Amino acid sequence: MTLAELIAQARTALDTAINARQQEQDALMALRSDENLTEEQARAQIERRDTADAEVTRRQEALAGLEAEQAREEELTQLQARTVPAATRAPAYDRVHRVGDEERTYRPDQDRRGAQFQQDVAAAFLGDYEARDRLARHMQEERTERGDQLQRAVGTGAFAGLVVPQYLTDMYAPLARTNRPFADACRRHTLPRTGMTVEISRVTTASSVDNQSAENAAVAEQDMDDTALSVPVRTAAGQQTASRQSIERGAGVEDVILDDLFRAYGSRLDTTMLNAATVGLSNVATAVAYTDATPTTAELYPKVIEGLAGVEGALLDQASGDNLAVMHSRRWYWMQNAMGTSYPLITQPGVVAQTLGANHAEAYGRGVRGILPNGTPVIVDNNIAVNLGAGTNEDEIFLVDRQECHLWEDPDAPMYIRAEQPKAANLGVLLVVYGYYAFTFQRQPHARKIGGTGLITPTFTGV
């Protein structure tokens, strides 16, 4: 099989891999719009998408290797045509090196300023093989006549205009963002197409049932009543104006800008859900105080159980059991640093009795990071404030029922606008990212938060 046939085969394989990857991505987007989506389903689909993505990269590298090999073969073929003399022809007189009375390649009496030498240097750099031959003969002549003076060397600094820096644009370092770990763990709903509020009916006066006092006596009756819960639809948006030169003459500038805007959108949505005044999780959760001047993980854990008991006590028969503990990464690592000999007396599924939970070793923002001793999954989110309390150095741990953490989003959010006309007079391109969303934790008020001096900046002492 020829190289051309191999390249055609590799291109077909790459196209197939790209189509397969797109199908997995489309399946992931469709899955995310399902309100009954589970963490396991999402993780499995993401793994399938990433596997397809890796296959695209492998096929792309294989094609690039074959194309590079073909280019090299063509280059060698052209070089051979230039350098191989006819079999019966004797070498030309000026192609044979002689020592003695033979004229030098570059003679000062004929070219006092060295213009021919400079022209050959430039021509050799551009690929002129005859110029390269003359320069090679000149160097051989120099070695023969002045070999003892040719031991000096120069570095790349002597050729500032020829040693060109290479910019690895595919390895640019994006700004690190907190992104949206908690938002991705919440119960997802599709945002209605119209309206700027989401209205939910909450029963606030319930029916009454009691034992009948006597036969034919009136049975208990209580008129039901509800109260509307109004959830505002919020708009998160950001923009960046880029010069047309940067987009048209740069390498991947627009993609870099959009990637940063998309991740900034996720960070803003998540931090609003956690910290917004009045309706954010930190402001609606019932406090569980942990006050301790010398906090330890062993002392904190009972507070976690107290908070979870409060969650179930508030929800009663509406509790799904799908609980979450949400904490800052500094708190999760502090809990992992603890060493001790005591362990829970009641074992839990999936947790070794002698340990204080289990770490799943997932990367930040990739879902559940681990489980606590009672089996509660942990979400690590660095949008949690760490400047709380009198000393402005405390954080909080949230305990919630995932099914009562509601987030409405458009399946296609965030949206992207690329506008050229508004900035046309300045040769600018306006890039805007925006999205609508709504959230609430008050459909069934239940959330708990652990806070206090026991959650100051942690020290990693093994306790």
Side-chain angles (χ1 to χ4, degrees):
M1 184 176 291
T2 65
L3 264 178
E5 292 172 337
L6 289 172
I7 290 174
Q9 189 180 65
R11 285 175 178 161
T12 301
L14 177 58
D15 289 340
T16 302
I18 291 173
N19 291 334
R21 191 268 180 195
Q22 187 60 48
Q23 291 175 0
E24 296 297 341
Q25 177 65 14
D26 292 342
L28 177 60
M29 296 305 296
L31 192 63
R32 282 174 170 166
S33 64
D34 185 359
E35 66 180 30
N36 296 319
L37 173 66
T38 66
E39 189 71 33
E40 291 73 21
Q41 290 175 326
R43 184 184 300 115
Q45 184 58 40
I46 289 173
E47 289 176 355
R48 286 192 289 271
R49 191 274 312 275
D50 291 347
T51 299
D53 204 31
E55 179 65 11
V56 170
T57 301
R58 190 176 72 82
R59 294 292 185 183
Q60 186 178 15
E61 292 173 350
L63 175 59
L66 290 172
E67 289 176 339
E69 183 178 350
Q70 184 184 48
R72 180 57 176 165
E73 290 296 324
E74 292 174 354
E75 180 183 357
L76 291 175
T77 299
Q78 295 175 1
L79 179 61
Q80 187 177 31
R82 287 174 175 267
T83 58
V84 176
T88 58
R89 180 182 300 174
Y93 181 85
D94 63 349
R95 296 290 180 176
V96 179
H97 172 67
R98 294 175 173 82
V99 178
D101 293 335
E102 184 178 5
E103 296 290 346
R104 292 290 301 266
T105 303
Y106 303 107
R107 294 173 52 186
D109 59 326
Q110 295 181 352
D111 186 9
R112 185 177 300 276
R113 296 180 178 272
Q116 182 60 46
F117 173 76
Q118 295 177 16
Q119 291 174 4
D120 281 351
V121 171
F125 179 74
L126 297 175
D128 188 326
Y129 291 98
E130 293 182 357
R132 292 180 182 178
D133 289 343
R134 286 193 294 271
L135 290 171
R137 288 201 307 273
H138 171 68
M139 289 306 301
Q140 185 59 40
E141 293 164 357
E142 288 292 294
R143 292 189 187 96
T144 301
E145 298 184 10
R146 297 191 301 141
D148 58 335
Q149 302 178 35
L150 296 180
Q151 301 304 314
R152 299 174 63 185
V154 295
T156 57
F159 305 99
L162 301 179
V163 182
V164 183
Q166 298 299 307
Y167 292 90
L168 305 180
T169 56
D170 59 328
M171 292 184 65
Y172 82 96
L175 179 70
R177 299 277 189 182
T178 50
N179 225 307
R180 45 178 293 168
F182 174 59
D184 287 339
C186 289
R187 183 177 175 183
R188 302 285 292 280
H189 308 279
T190 299
L191 187 69
R193 296 183 62 85
T194 59
M196 291 305 291
T197 59
V198 176
E199 300 290 337
I200 300 175
S201 173
R202 295 179 58 240
V203 175
T204 51
T205 303
S207 302
S208 175
V209 174
D210 200 354
N211 296 318
Q212 188 179 22
S213 61
E215 294 180 15
N216 293 320
V219 299
E221 180 181 10
Q222 173 66 54
D223 293 338
M224 291 182 63
D225 193 11
D226 76 335
T227 301
L229 174 63
S230 296
V231 181
V233 175
R234 301 168 184 265
T235 306
Q239 65 177 323
Q240 189 71 242
T241 301
S243 70
R244 182 171 292 277
Q245 292 91 334
S246 68
I247 293 177
E248 295 181 353
R249 305 285 298 175
V253 171
E254 187 169 357
D255 290 338
V256 170
I257 293 174
L258 288 177
D259 173 70
D260 187 61
L261 283 172
F262 285 148
R263 291 185 300 108
Y265 171 89
S267 299
R268 171 49 55 191
L269 181 151
D270 193 88
T271 194
T272 302
M273 293 182 67
L274 288 168
N275 304 309
T278 308
V279 296
L281 184 57
S282 180
N283 290 293
V284 302
T286 301
V288 175
Y290 175 38
T291 303
D292 196 330
T294 56
T296 67
T297 302
E299 293 171 348
L300 169 63
Y301 180 62
K303 295 296 181 179
V304 174
I305 299 301
E306 179 183 343
L308 290 170
V311 168
E312 186 166 317
L315 292 174
L316 299 176
D317 68 342
Q318 296 302 301
S320 70
D322 187 8
N323 295 330
L324 286 177
V326 186
M327 63 185 70
H328 196 277
S329 63
R330 74 179 193 177
R331 192 58 53 194
W332 175 238
Y333 283 106
W334 177 70
M335 293 183 72
Q336 291 182 64
N337 105 109
M339 308 291 287
T341 58
S342 61
Y343 50 88
L345 298 179
I346 299 177
T347 61
Q348 304 290 341
V351 181
V352 179
Q354 290 83 358
T355 62
L356 195 63
N359 179 32
H360 290 174
E362 288 288 349
Y364 180 83
R366 297 293 179 86
V368 174
R369 295 291 292 274
I371 54 177
L372 297 177
N374 70 330
T376 301
V378 174
I379 296 294
V380 169
D381 193 324
N382 284 353
N383 285 303
I384 293 174
V386 294
N387 61 347
L388 305 176
T392 64
N393 61 348
E394 300 172 13
D395 55 71
E396 295 174 325
I397 297 176
F398 301 102
L399 302 161
V400 296
D401 186 314
R402 187 203 304 256
Q403 298 306 313
E404 288 302 331
C405 296
H406 300 276
L407 171 62
W408 289 265
E409 275 191 290
D410 190 301
D412 297 325
M415 311 296 184
Y416 161 45
I417 297 175
R418 187 182 195 275
E420 300 185 6
Q421 293 303 318
K423 302 290 184 178
N426 298 60
L427 286 182
V429 177
L430 179 63
L431 305 174
V432 181
V433 167
Y434 75 98
Y436 304 117
Y437 68 99
F439 67 90
T440 185
F441 311 107
Q442 292 295 84
R443 177 179 175 269
Q444 295 284 0
H446 70 287
R448 297 294 188 269
K449 66 175 181 181
I450 304 172
T453 56
L455 294 179
I456 60 174
T457 304
T459 57
F460 296 86
T461 58
V463 294

